[in-house]
């Protein structure tokens, strides 16, 4: 048998391409975590009724812990259940009607932010060792994902659904920044503890991919 005729399994290390029961369980658990966080300590701010919740913490933790694919699935499951009628959005809301509300952009932004920070986490964990550098880069990844997707789409949602001009929507969104900074610090701290306790939680995919010739 020639070099080019060797089976793929002989040329490259085995890579797990399908999710197993553990992956599916993690997706369900983190979807439930995001849902529960939307209902805890919801504090309405401003006149639009967009509340401050612990949801950003859960969303970013999902991406930091699970990586992009499973984070996308977890947030996608959460959104599908909420849009289907389960009262798991902030304030116990549900249904397609939330997409016409001022918080619609934030809800959609959760899905994209978790996926983005998940991808960035894979890169950071694969290229750094534990320490302040890793923590700092993960915090930067979480903040960048929050600003671009959650805050960016949140502002857009208020402009479209609440008919605010950009300056008013931007000012309405600023109130969420102090809390999000604290929540991202907590999310990174928790995620680092999870990855230390379970080293293969995310990196086994990265290791097998990097081992390809």
């Amino acid at each position: 048998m020639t070099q080019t005729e060797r089976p793929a399994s002989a040329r490259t290390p085995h890579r797990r391409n399908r999710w197993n029961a553990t992956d599916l369980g993690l997706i369900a658990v983190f979807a439930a975590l995001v849902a529960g966080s939307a209902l805890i300590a919801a504090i309405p701010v401003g006149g639009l009724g967009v509340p401050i919740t612990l949801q950003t913490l859960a969303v970013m933790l999902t991406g930091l812990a699970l990586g992009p694919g499973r984070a996308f699935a977890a947030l996608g499951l959460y959104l599908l259940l909420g849009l289907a009628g389960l009262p798991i959005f902030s304030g116990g809301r549900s249904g397609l009607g939330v997409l016409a509300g001022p918080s619609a952009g934030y809800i959609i932004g959760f899905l994209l932010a978790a996926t983005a920070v998940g991808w960035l986490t894979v890169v950071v964990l694969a290229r750094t060792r534990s320490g302040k550098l890793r923590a700092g880069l993960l915090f930067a990844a979480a903040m960048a994902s929050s600003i671009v997707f959650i805050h960016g789409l949140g502002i857009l949602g208020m402009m479209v659904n609440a008919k605010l001009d950009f300056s008013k929507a931007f000012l309405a969104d600023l109130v969420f920044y102090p809390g999000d900074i604290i929540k991202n610090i907590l999310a990174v701290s928790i995620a680092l503890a999870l990855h230390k306790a379970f080293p293969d939680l995310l990196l086994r995919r990265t290791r097998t991919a990097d081992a390809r010739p």
Side-chain angles (χ1 to χ4, degrees), residues 3-210:
Q3 176 71 18
T4 57
E5 292 175 339
R6 286 189 302 165
S9 59
R11 295 195 305 270
T12 61
H14 173 70
R15 187 183 184 190
R16 184 163 63 98
N17 292 315
R18 296 181 179 179
W19 288 332
N20 57 23
T22 299
D23 294 315
L24 297 178
L26 287 170
I27 289 168
V29 167
F30 276 85
L33 176 65
V34 174
S37 67
L39 306 176
I40 298 174
I43 305 172
V45 295
L48 297 177
V50 180
I52 295 176
T53 69
L54 294 177
Q55 201 163 20
T56 307
L57 169 61
V59 168
M60 304 314 291
L61 178 59
T62 299
L64 289 161
L66 300 186
R70 292 177 296 177
F72 181 89
L75 268 296
L77 176 60
Y78 163 73
L79 292 179
L80 286 175
L81 293 175
L83 294 175
L86 290 182
I88 54 176
F89 295 133
S90 61
R93 295 171 300 147
S94 64
L96 294 173
V98 299
L99 297 179
S103 62
Y106 293 103
I107 293 172
I108 297 171
F110 291 156
L111 175 67
L112 299 178
T115 305
V117 77
W119 179 80
L120 291 171
T121 298
V122 171
V123 174
V124 170
L125 294 187
R127 300 179 185 277
T128 63
R129 297 182 178 181
S130 59
K132 293 182 179 180
L133 176 61
R134 173 176 285 188
L137 289 175
L138 289 179
F139 174 73
M143 285 304 304
S145 300
S146 296
I147 292 170
V148 172
F149 294 108
I150 297 178
H151 292 277
L153 291 179
I155 290 171
L156 181 61
M158 288 188 285
M159 293 174 64
V160 173
N161 291 340
K163 309 303 181 184
L164 299 181
D165 59 34
F166 174 78
S167 60
K168 291 182 179 179
F170 179 79
L171 290 175
D173 175 73
L174 282 180
V175 70
F176 298 108
Y177 270 85
D180 280 359
I181 292 172
I182 295 172
K183 285 180 279 188
N184 280 332
I185 292 173
L186 290 174
V188 169
S189 299
I190 296 170
L192 286 173
L194 287 174
H195 290 301
K196 183 177 181 179
F198 306 100
D200 287 339
L201 179 63
L202 185 59
L203 281 186
R204 59 182 162 186
R205 289 184 175 82
T206 304
R207 292 192 185 106
T208 53
D210 290 344

